[in-house]
Amino acid sequence: MNREGTDEIEHAVREVLRDALGLPEAQVASFDAETPLFGALPELDSMAVAGMLTELEDRLGITIDDDDVDGDILETFGALTRFAAEKVAA
């Protein structure tokens, strides 16, 4: 995947986090690959995960199966972005 495609996916992940979790745009803009998500963001609870993943599917035109979801993909912003990029490339 080229850098432009990666940037688009990262932008979509940021939008989903902002919209689905109600996070301020400045906070989401400051996220880097190592920014912790699940367990670090009180807004990202188990109920929010389902909504966030559904919105990610809609925005990126991907399908996320229950078997795809584990704690590792939600550990950091970078992990979630890599997961989304892998689903787009599949």
Side-chain angles (χ1 to χ4, degrees):
M1 178 172 300
N2 63 29
R3 182 66 198 161
E4 183 177 313
T6 302
D7 288 346
E8 289 176 20
I9 292 168
E10 184 176 308
H11 180 73
V13 171
R14 287 182 194 281
E15 286 182 338
V16 166
L17 288 170
R18 187 190 69 227
D19 295 348
L21 303 180
L23 298 174
E25 188 169 342
Q27 179 183 6
V28 175
S30 72
F31 288 176
D32 63 24
E34 301 304 316
T35 301
L37 297 179
F38 198 74
L41 297 174
E43 299 87 353
L44 187 57
D45 59 20
S46 57
M47 291 299 290
V49 168
M52 183 191 70
L53 293 176
T54 299
E55 189 168 337
L56 199 56
E57 286 179 315
D58 292 345
R59 285 190 192 240
L60 294 175
I62 59 176
T63 300
I64 300 172
D65 298 318
D66 289 343
D67 294 339
D68 296 333
V69 180
D70 61 27
D72 292 343
I73 69 164
L74 300 170
E75 187 174 339
T76 64
F77 176 74
L80 181 58
T81 302
R82 281 188 301 278
F83 170 77
E86 290 169 4
K87 295 304 271 180
V88 167

